[in-house]
Amino acid sequence: MKISPPKPTVSHPLYTGGELVLRGIPASPGISIGRVHLLVPETPVVQPRKIAPGEVPGELVKFEQALTATAAAIERSKDRALSVAGIAAAKIFDAHLLILDDVVFQDDVRARVTREQFCVDYIVNDVLGHAIDVMDKTEGELFRERAADIRDVRNRLLRFISGKGDVMPEAPAEPVVLVAHDLSPTDTLHLDRHLIEAIAADTGGLTSHTAILARSLDIPAVVGVTDLSWRVKAGDQIVLNGNSGKVIVHPSESTLEEYRAKQQRYRAFVSSLENLKDLPAQTADGHEVQLWGNIELPYEAESVLGHGGTGVGLFRSEFMFLTRETVPTENEQFDTYDRAAEILAPRPLVIRTFDLGGDKLHGSINLKEEKNPFLGYRAIRVSLTRRDLFRAQLRAILRASSRGNVRIMFPFISGLEELREAKAVVAEASAELDRLRIPHDPQLKIGIMVEIPSAVVIADHLAEESDFFSIGTNDLTQYTVAADRGNDMVSNYYRSFHPAVLRLIQQTIRAGHKAKIPVAICGEFGANPVAAPLLLGLGIDEISTNATAIPEIKKTIRTLSMADCRKIATRALRMKTAAEIQTYLSGELKSRLADLPIWFT
Amino acid sequence: MIQKEVTLLNRLGLHVRPAAQFTKIAGRYKSDVFLVRDGMRVNAKSIMGVMMLAAGKGSKLIIECIGEDEAPLLNELVQLVENKFHED
């Protein structure tokens, strides 16, 4: 194997002697101080060796065997990814299998070996090298990352053809900060967590493979540090802050001291979170809220419990529809809900009926192009016109409710009409199951997402006919300030701390409590520690968020007192702009909880 | 040979998953099928070929089908593009 690193974008002096502070994208939290281990990209050098006609069949057999071995190796990586890093990481290897299985590529290799009579590794390298070159030059980042995938598959395949097998890059002997131009998913996944303190890469964004895998493996990482691998050499001292995105090469003594202290605080913070796992999300003065997780797949319920959550406040059932081309059957849905309910029992599982439409389209439901999809045919509106699908889903949910911990939640309720209509369909489905003597929970609770301003305005009426509310802050913000949350042009108008949004949250909680029903929050706002004192002060009963955000929110809640939270909320609600509110809340939180990672900049 | 021009409407363009759907359908038919974009012509039965087009949202592509079952093949592929690959 020859070493040929990619060219830097501009030329840099390698080392000027002083401290060099670089900024990248904080991809995985944590602070690390160590020596650079430079991972040089592996570019296999394959000689164009001519073969005799008699050698062709042997080369072809070698190819077939390498294909089989590589497929098996990718499958193993996928299993490992699934167990150590989750489904998003595993999907990367699904793409690798698709690349390996490309029939045109395979046929091309076989035909060229036969016709041109070169060794098979040369032909494989030539065919895939061409694809990599083309995709490296494309504009979209998404497609450039596919070049990295093809490179990874090629390197593995060539290793098997050469008989080396699935050899991973040489592991360093002592803990180091790994610096690379780019890391392949295979490289990242096989890193030894005990030797790799942190990762820094020249390329990549928050959704790059390196970032996804580093987060799942709990390795601090900064990506997108332009030309970093060209500015350092092996053995250089380096400081990496995965919380802020800062990378400091050749740190001065004072910088080192500063970061050693930060690192210590951060480690103490993380281990303090670990101790919180089995403690309630309770304020210092004894007020308890429930911390729940948002999930898309049943097994993620385990992660929620593992992070100290006490239930699932949002099961996004549309995920099952979006990952396939046909709609899932009642039985398939039942299996899925039942598995999640079983993992959680007796803790609650709130299943949101499918929220399709908007930006989540499903071909087989024949959703047409709409001028304003976010103001269009989505969520409960689809359910009520596609009664066949809705009834099948409700029956599946009802069947899964026999343990008594399943709840139904309707998304996108704008008025009483659709709530009543939807509840009538539940009643019909329940009567059907009764007739068939299929067990289900007769007391099953039915709640709604409050995410449309009209629902807030009539929250008093809705509360009389709902068993619970869950405020969807992402949509509520988008509809309140009329700013599409996916549109960069108006992102500065999308402000969750907008006083109008906060008043709507307050109004919803008041209406819920007046009717004696619990009010939850299940948007990203709930995962923001800065918002926690405010939400608590307003009287929120449950916060449902990503499993990984639970420990941090719990820590925040346990640091606060309810009396303080009420004061903070009252004061914030009097302020007139989002910026003012956000600055105030950040200040309040920082004064109480100086070691939250968000302050480690 | 028959052909038709289509515009990609799905948000991420012909990235892995849509490209896989495309090649899966193409692979089921006997006819040859090619995709042409800005003068680049690739075999649509190859996922790498399809991804090499780096066709993002809004790209215009010509689908060319050649062979005995070219008509239903073209029809199915056009439908797939028009249905935004059942995603987004």
Side-chain angles (χ1 to χ4, degrees):
Chain A
M1 302 266 171
K2 194 180 74 177
I3 288 161
S4 79
K7 298 269 179 292
T9 49
V10 285
S11 61
H12 300 284
L14 187 62
Y15 173 41
T16 54
E19 182 174 285
L20 178 64
V21 182
L22 300 169
R23 276 193 178 275
I25 300 160
S28 177
I31 291 167
S32 182
I33 302 165
R35 298 274 165 195
V36 168
H37 176 78
L38 206 53
L39 185 75
V40 196
E42 161 187 62
T43 307
V45 174
V46 182
Q47 301 300 336
R49 184 174 62 86
K50 263 284 185 190
I51 53 172
E55 288 179 80
V56 169
E59 288 297 290
L60 293 180
V61 169
K62 228 198 266 178
F63 182 54
E64 302 307 326
Q65 285 171 344
L67 283 174
T68 311
T70 307
I74 297 173
E75 287 285 0
R76 282 198 298 277
S77 293
K78 190 179 146 187
D79 289 343
R80 180 174 155 83
L82 199 59
S83 64
V84 304
I87 194 123
K91 273 191 180 165
I92 296 167
F93 294 97
D94 272 333
H96 288 195
L97 284 173
L98 288 169
I99 291 166
L100 187 74
D101 283 343
D102 191 322
V103 283
V104 173
F105 149 68
Q106 294 186 2
D107 288 347
D108 198 17
V109 170
R110 292 181 193 113
R112 284 188 54 189
V113 170
T114 311
R115 192 178 63 236
E116 299 171 22
Q117 297 180 356
F118 278 106
C119 58
V120 68
D121 39 351
Y122 171 71
I123 300 288
V124 164
N125 191 40
D126 196 52
V127 174
L128 292 181
H130 172 66
I132 294 164
D133 286 347
V134 172
M135 294 190 61
D136 258 340
K137 288 188 192 101
T138 59
E139 284 188 3
E141 190 189 339
L142 212 61
F143 290 103
R144 276 205 306 274
E145 280 175 13
R146 293 299 83 78
D149 286 325
I150 301 176
R151 196 175 283 120
D152 200 354
V153 173
R154 175 196 65 184
N155 293 357
R156 270 188 137 159
L157 187 56
L158 287 176
R159 279 196 295 259
F160 278 109
I161 291 175
S162 71
K164 285 196 193 85
D166 216 14
V167 187
M168 289 306 132
E170 201 180 317
E174 53 181 337
V176 290
V177 174
L178 187 76
V179 175
H181 175 70
D182 193 10
L183 274 173
S184 78
T186 311
D187 292 342
T188 313
L189 192 65
H190 289 82
L191 294 175
D192 187 339
R193 177 69 189 87
H194 303 291
L195 294 177
I196 305 299
E197 284 256 316
I199 298 172
D202 301 355
T203 59
L206 268 184
T207 55
S208 67
H209 296 339
T210 312
I212 292 170
L213 285 164
R215 275 197 298 273
S216 348
L217 295 169
D218 222 2
I219 299 175
V222 178
V223 297
V225 197
T226 309
D227 296 337
L228 176 67
S229 71
W230 278 85
R231 297 173 183 222
V232 295
K233 57 184 187 309
D236 280 352
Q237 192 160 43
I238 188 167
V239 170
L240 177 147
N241 186 344
N243 302 77
S244 67
K246 235 187 236 177
V247 171
I248 306 169
V249 192
H250 306 299
S252 67
E253 226 8 85
S254 65
T255 302
L256 272 176
E257 216 164 286
E258 181 195 337
Y259 273 87
R260 281 193 194 114
K262 277 190 181 184
Q263 187 179 37
Q264 224 165 22
R265 274 169 56 207
Y266 184 73
R267 284 185 180 157
F269 174 76
V270 172
S271 62
S272 75
L273 293 185
E274 189 57 39
N275 301 335
L276 292 180
K277 208 191 119 188
D278 300 317
L279 296 175
Q282 196 175 49
T283 58
D285 50 354
H287 178 88
E288 188 173 344
V289 296
Q290 294 302 311
L291 273 186
W292 291 350
N294 298 342
I295 66 170
E296 290 178 328
L297 296 164
Y299 80 86
E300 289 175 297
E302 284 166 17
S303 166
V304 172
L305 299 180
H307 283 90
T310 50
V312 163
L314 173 63
F315 184 114
R316 299 189 179 95
S317 67
E318 61 277 3
F319 190 74
M320 254 187 293
F321 291 72
L322 293 168
T323 48
R324 48 190 286 162
E325 282 153 44
T326 53
V327 293
T329 64
E330 179 184 323
N331 279 336
E332 284 168 331
Q333 292 189 59
F334 165 72
D335 284 342
T336 306
Y337 305 143
D338 189 52
R339 248 185 301 154
E342 191 184 354
I343 294 167
L344 290 164
R347 288 162 290 230
L349 169 67
V350 180
I351 301 173
R352 175 172 75 185
T353 59
F354 58 82
D355 180 10
L356 294 167
D359 56 352
K360 294 178 278 194
L361 301 186
H362 188 274
S364 65
I365 301 180
N366 295 325
L367 296 165
K368 281 188 216 140
E369 183 89 3
E370 295 176 72
K371 271 198 177 152
N372 293 301
F374 283 105
L375 301 180
Y377 183 58
R378 63 173 287 202
I380 196 72
R381 300 172 182 179
V382 178
S383 300
L384 292 176
T385 46
R386 287 299 306 268
R387 293 292 175 98
D388 52 331
L389 301 177
F390 193 36
R391 199 171 291 128
Q393 177 171 41
L394 292 174
R395 281 171 52 119
I397 297 174
L398 284 165
R399 283 166 57 194
S401 73
S402 56
R403 276 186 204 82
N405 65 335
V406 171
R407 304 175 191 177
I408 295 179
M409 178 160 77
F410 298 127
F412 217 57
I413 296 289
S414 71
L416 260 181
E417 293 90 337
E418 59 261 38
L419 172 58
R420 287 178 178 161
E421 216 180 319
K423 282 176 77 175
V425 187
V426 177
E428 282 167 33
S430 167
E432 267 169 45
L433 293 178
D434 278 338
R435 273 199 302 279
L436 298 166
R437 294 176 197 284
I438 296 173
H440 59 280
D441 177 13
Q443 307 290 320
L444 170 120
K445 289 193 164 49
I446 302 175
I448 63 166
M449 295 270 300
V450 177
E451 51 189 340
I452 301 179
S454 66
V456 179
V457 176
I458 59 155
D460 53 342
H461 297 323
L462 290 167
E464 284 169 17
E465 301 185 27
S466 309
D467 295 321
F468 62 90
F469 281 163
S470 187
I471 306 173
T473 45
N474 301 352
D475 271 332
L476 185 60
T477 304
Q478 135 164 307
Y479 293 118
T480 302
V481 300
D484 180 344
R485 58 186 161 110
N487 183 346
D488 299 340
M489 309 271 286
V490 293
S491 59
N492 57 329
Y493 291 97
Y494 179 87
R495 301 182 188 108
S496 291
F497 287 97
H498 192 295
V501 177
L502 303 189
R503 284 185 191 185
L504 294 180
I505 294 174
Q506 179 186 42
Q507 209 175 320
T508 308
I509 296 174
R510 279 187 180 159
H513 288 178
K514 204 166 168 204
K516 300 198 165 51
I517 64 167
V519 182
I521 199 144
C522 66
E524 278 158 38
F525 202 51
N528 186 348
V530 173
L534 172 79
L535 291 171
L536 254 65
L538 292 176
I540 204 81
D541 300 294
E542 291 137 14
I543 294 175
S544 193
T545 175
N546 298 321
T548 50
I550 290 174
E552 197 175 75
I553 291 291
K554 192 187 277 187
K555 163 102 177 172
T556 312
I557 291 172
R558 291 182 61 88
T559 310
L560 302 165
S561 82
M562 199 54 190
D564 268 3
C565 290
R566 287 205 187 93
K567 274 186 225 148
I568 292 171
T570 308
R571 202 155 153 212
L573 261 294
R574 274 196 225 113
M575 294 178 173
K576 292 174 184 166
T577 67
E580 200 184 341
I581 293 171
Q582 206 166 347
T583 310
Y584 167 64
L585 291 175
S586 301
E588 286 294 322
L589 188 63
K590 199 166 179 174
S591 70
R592 286 170 175 76
L593 197 57
D595 57 348
L596 259 197
I598 46 172
W599 316 126
F600 291 119
T601 50
Chain B
M1 199 261 285
I2 52 173
Q3 64 175 51
K4 190 171 162 85
E5 187 180 79
V6 290
T7 306
L8 287 178
L9 301 168
N10 62 318
R11 192 166 56 86
L12 298 174
L14 273 181
H15 68 106
V16 184
R17 197 171 157 270
Q21 293 181 58
F22 215 91
T23 51
K24 209 169 95 191
I25 292 173
R28 279 209 312 268
Y29 288 81
K30 284 189 185 135
S31 299
D32 288 329
V33 49
F34 297 93
L35 281 178
V36 187
R37 176 177 181 241
D38 294 341
M40 188 165 169
R41 185 167 183 266
V42 299
N43 189 331
K45 294 191 181 190
S46 163
I47 187 162
M48 273 183 277
V50 174
M51 288 195 304
M52 268 156 70
L53 291 178
K57 184 179 177 179
S59 307
K60 288 195 189 316
L61 299 173
I62 297 166
I63 308 175
E64 276 181 21
C65 299
I66 310 150
E68 53 187 278
D69 48 8
E70 59 186 26
L73 171 57
L74 183 65
N75 186 37
E76 196 175 343
L77 292 177
V78 170
Q79 289 268 317
L80 180 70
V81 175
E82 285 176 354
N83 286 331
K84 297 186 182 177
F85 299 85
H86 313 300
E87 63 168 18
D88 278 15

